[in-house]
Amino acid sequence: MPGATPGGELGHKLGQQKMLKEHWGDISQKLLKTVGQNNHTTWIAPLKAGPVDQKIATLYVPTTFSGNYISQNFSDLILHEINASGIEASRLSFVLSSQAEDSFKPAPAAPKPQAPKADQSDGLGATTQLDKRFSFDTFVVGKPNELAHAAARRVAEGGPVTFNPLFLYGGVGLGKTHLMHAIAQELRARKPEINVLYLSAEQFMYRFVQALRDRKMMDFKEIFRSVDVLMVDDVQFIAGKDSTQEEFFHTFNALVDQHKQIIISADRAPGEIKDLEERVKSRLQCGLVVDLHPTDYELRLGILQSKVEAQRETYPGLDVAEGVLEFMAHRITSNVRVLEGALTRLFAFASLVGRPIDMDLTQDCLSDVLRESERKITVEEIQRKVSEHYNIRLSDMIGPKRLRSYARPRQVAMYLCKQMTTRSLPEIGRRFGGRDHTTVMHGVRRIEELKQSDSQIAEDIELLSRALKT
């Protein structure tokens, strides 16, 4: 009978749709036992049952991102439970909830979620603006930063991910942020089609809190888990923020599983960041961890020489007398920002007063900077820093106890006193509970040996030296 078959098919479709809707509550509860409460709350609970047509079961999802994620991670489990409930389905189709009225229309091809570009806003707070001055061309390479520069260059080529994450760390003004900006700009120049999201850890935390407050966590996840390259500067600022760390951890895992590149910077190595969860530390250490060491004389001089060329464009009539740059490189050792700031001030001052940039002008103009660089580090200051670093009492470190937990920090402190003060060995010994100068000499030699064979001791010395100089 004409029309009977279509009517029967329609009735069957409606029956199947009704069955899926009626059984969806039970199916959802069974999935809860399989995927766990967190996954269920985030991914399964927002789903709504749709029609079943030609053995294709349609489920309505709130966002394209959630549909893609569920399809990749839970579709087999969902399909199994649907069939177990007596509904015939061979595959799933995920459709946006806004298209729910087209009950029998197959799901459209899911467009790739678009994350904001590196210098755009996404509605959850602006991203970090890239500084055009911070490029690879303007980065001065020397022995203290050559490994970090080479690793950054490799990542910026945008090839297959070879180490994930790339973790850059070092003290203030050593070039971490410069390299991060350079990587982001190089990636966007080479591959403008990829999504590079660069922001500070503070901005990540702000976006996360804002998304929680505004109930936009799905939007937050969609933005951060659909990028091609995620770059987070100063990650130490999420330490102690438990909820932010947990979301960062899950975001990290999701991107690594998709073979997306992650680049992180911090002021210290992952293992040295206090109040950072162990699982986060472990994840951050699983890639390439590179230290930007404090600048040496040659690197500081090279930086000054390169910056002079830029200053001459602003002040074309000014030249720098012989010996001035060498003097500055020797005397200003704290960090690159102070060094560059001193040079900028020098050119501006010379231009304003109409004097040549010679040694007299340099000493007059930079007297405060030069005085600061002459700050004397004391034995007591070293002892206090070392005891804080190793979490022991100062009285135990300088006292008579010979336990290894006190003896090694004591030797480290003696070594730093020898390296960073003008005190003689007998004077240092007297400050450490009246010990003989031969004891100090033995401790110094022992640390010098361990620096070559024990990476932890070498890192401790580096961190303490940096902390004492700042």
Side-chain angles (χ1 to χ4, degrees), residues 208-359:
F208 173 67
V209 172
Q210 188 178 19
L212 281 176
R213 185 189 63 205
D214 297 341
R215 299 183 179 179
K216 292 184 177 180
M217 278 308 298
M218 292 305 295
D219 292 342
F220 178 91
K221 292 175 186 292
E222 182 169 351
I223 289 166
F224 281 91
R225 301 187 188 189
S226 60
V227 298
D228 297 301
V229 181
L230 176 64
M231 307 180 70
V232 181
D233 210 353
D234 289 322
V235 79
Q236 72 271 6
F237 288 119
I238 69 168
K241 316 293 192 305
D242 293 344
S243 298
T244 304
Q245 285 190 67
E246 181 172 0
E247 184 57 39
F248 178 79
F249 177 76
H250 292 310
T251 298
F252 188 107
N253 287 342
L255 291 174
V256 169
D257 289 345
Q258 296 175 60
H259 306 290
K260 301 298 178 64
Q261 182 70 60
I262 302 172
I263 306 158
I264 306 290
S265 82
D267 64 354
R268 68 205 80 171
E272 295 294 328
I273 302 176
K274 188 179 178 182
D275 296 328
L276 195 64
E277 291 182 11
E278 288 303 318
R279 60 177 180 169
V280 178
K281 287 183 183 179
S282 176
R283 269 303 197 179
L284 294 176
Q285 290 170 322
C286 70
L288 178 63
V289 179
V290 185
D291 185 6
L292 283 90
H293 297 281
T295 56
D296 56 17
Y297 168 75
E298 289 78 12
L299 180 55
R300 290 194 295 274
L301 183 58
I303 290 168
L304 286 171
Q305 289 169 341
S306 70
K307 298 303 176 184
V308 162
E309 297 305 317
Q311 291 293 339
R312 280 180 178 147
E313 293 179 8
T314 307
Y315 306 100
L318 286 175
D319 287 317
V320 181
E322 188 175 346
V324 169
L325 297 185
E326 289 80 1
F327 172 77
M328 292 176 66
H330 270 301
R331 292 291 301 276
I332 304 174
T333 60
S334 52
N335 66 63
V336 175
R337 289 180 193 165
V338 174
L339 194 64
E340 292 180 354
L343 188 67
T344 300
R345 188 204 297 190
L346 194 58
F347 269 87
F349 186 74
S351 174
L352 289 169
V353 300
R355 290 171 55 186
I357 301 177
D358 54 18
M359 199 65 75

Side-chain angles (χ1 to χ4, degrees), residues 159-207:
V161 176
T162 53
F163 32 77
N164 216 8
L166 169 61
F167 190 100
L168 304 171
Y169 77 95
V172 175
L174 296 183
K176 302 185 304 296
T177 299
H178 190 140
L179 284 178
M180 294 282 279
H181 282 244
I183 292 170
Q185 293 182 112
E186 185 77 7
L187 281 168
R188 296 191 68 195
R190 285 172 175 263
K191 297 188 174 183
E193 75 279 3
I194 69 172
N195 291 319
V196 180
L197 181 57
Y198 172 44
L199 74 171
S200 67
E202 188 177 25
Q203 286 171 322
F204 180 90
M205 182 169 61
Y206 168 76
R207 287 162 170 241

Side-chain angles (χ1 to χ4, degrees), residues 19-219:
M19 280 183 67
L20 183 54
K21 285 185 176 180
E22 289 176 350
H23 285 79
W24 183 247
D26 292 336
I27 292 170
S28 180
Q29 286 304 305
K30 289 177 182 177
L31 288 168
L32 170 61
K33 297 176 183 177
T34 308
V35 303
Q37 183 65 58
N38 287 341
N39 280 327
H40 186 272
T41 301
T42 304
W43 306 110
I44 306 301
L47 294 175
K48 290 182 171 54
V52 180
D53 184 20
Q54 297 180 356
K55 295 188 177 182
I56 300 173
T58 298
L59 294 173
Y60 295 115
V61 293
T63 68
T64 301
F65 172 71
S66 62
N68 289 341
Y69 188 89
I70 296 165
S71 177
Q72 291 173 11
N73 294 277
F74 304 116
S75 58
D76 290 342
L77 287 172
I78 297 172
L79 199 58
H80 171 76
E81 294 298 343
I82 288 174
N83 280 282
S85 69
I87 301 168
E88 296 180 35
S90 58
R91 66 185 180 91
L92 301 177
S93 174
F94 296 96
V95 179
L96 290 174
S97 298
S98 58
Q99 300 170 353
E101 63 274 11
D102 300 324
S103 297
F104 294 103
K105 186 182 290 185
K112 183 179 178 181
Q114 293 297 309
K117 296 296 185 181
D119 56 359
Q120 294 176 338
S121 172
D122 56 32
L124 285 173
T127 59
T128 300
Q129 294 292 321
L130 295 178
D131 191 328
K132 302 300 182 184
R133 297 172 301 169
F134 291 163
S135 66
F136 284 117
D137 291 338
T138 59
F139 188 84
V140 181
V141 183
K143 188 164 286 187
N145 61 24
E146 61 183 351
L147 177 57
H149 175 263
R153 276 282 197 187
R154 175 67 61 83
V155 170
E157 291 171 0
V161 176
T162 53
F163 32 77
N164 216 8
L166 169 61
F167 190 100
L168 304 171
Y169 77 95
V172 175
L174 296 183
K176 302 185 304 296
T177 299
H178 190 140
L179 284 178
M180 294 282 279
H181 282 244
I183 292 170
Q185 293 182 112
E186 185 77 7
L187 281 168
R188 296 191 68 195
R190 285 172 175 263
K191 297 188 174 183
E193 75 279 3
I194 69 172
N195 291 319
V196 180
L197 181 57
Y198 172 44
L199 74 171
S200 67
E202 188 177 25
Q203 286 171 322
F204 180 90
M205 182 169 61
Y206 168 76
R207 287 162 170 241
F208 173 67
V209 172
Q210 188 178 19
L212 281 176
R213 185 189 63 205
D214 297 341
R215 299 183 179 179
K216 292 184 177 180
M217 278 308 298
M218 292 305 295
D219 292 342

Side-chain angles (χ1 to χ4, degrees), residues 382-383 385-387 389-390 392 397 404 406-420 428 432 439-440 442-448 450-451 456-465 468:
I382 292 172
Q383 290 173 333
K385 283 284 187 185
V386 172
S387 61
H389 179 80
Y390 288 104
I392 61 175
M397 189 179 71
R404 183 183 177 85
Y406 302 138
R408 187 68 76 229
R410 185 183 299 135
Q411 289 177 332
V412 167
M414 289 176 175
Y415 172 85
L416 290 170
C417 288
K418 177 68 171 61
Q419 298 297 318
M420 304 183 76
I428 294 171
F432 282 82
T439 303
V440 179
H442 169 75
V444 170
R445 286 176 179 168
R446 182 62 182 142
I447 295 302
E448 285 175 343
L450 287 173
K451 275 183 67 181
Q456 185 59 57
I457 287 290
E459 190 169 310
D460 286 347
I461 295 293
E462 182 67 43
L463 283 168
L464 286 163
S465 298
L468 286 161

Side-chain angles (χ1 to χ4, degrees), residues 340-442:
E340 292 180 354
L343 188 67
T344 300
R345 188 204 297 190
L346 194 58
F347 269 87
F349 186 74
S351 174
L352 289 169
V353 300
R355 290 171 55 186
I357 301 177
D358 54 18
M359 199 65 75
D360 289 339
L361 180 79
T362 301
Q363 291 179 327
D364 289 344
C365 176
L366 304 180
S367 57
D368 58 329
V369 179
L370 297 172
R371 274 197 307 273
E372 180 63 25
S373 67
E374 289 179 342
R375 186 178 72 83
K376 303 299 182 187
I377 298 171
T378 65
V379 171
E380 290 75 19
E381 191 177 358
I382 292 172
Q383 290 173 333
R384 187 173 64 254
K385 283 284 187 185
V386 172
S387 61
E388 289 173 358
H389 179 80
Y390 288 104
N391 198 26
I392 61 175
R393 290 184 300 183
L394 180 59
S395 58
D396 288 329
M397 189 179 71
I398 64 177
K401 295 180 181 179
R402 296 187 177 183
L403 293 172
R404 183 183 177 85
S405 56
Y406 302 138
R408 187 68 76 229
R410 185 183 299 135
Q411 289 177 332
V412 167
M414 289 176 175
Y415 172 85
L416 290 170
C417 288
K418 177 68 171 61
Q419 298 297 318
M420 304 183 76
T421 75
T422 57
R423 301 292 180 181
S424 65
L425 294 179
E427 285 179 301
I428 294 171
R430 283 195 292 274
R431 303 294 182 91
F432 282 82
R435 287 177 165 79
D436 188 78
H437 77 279
T438 56
T439 303
V440 179
M441 189 183 302
H442 169 75

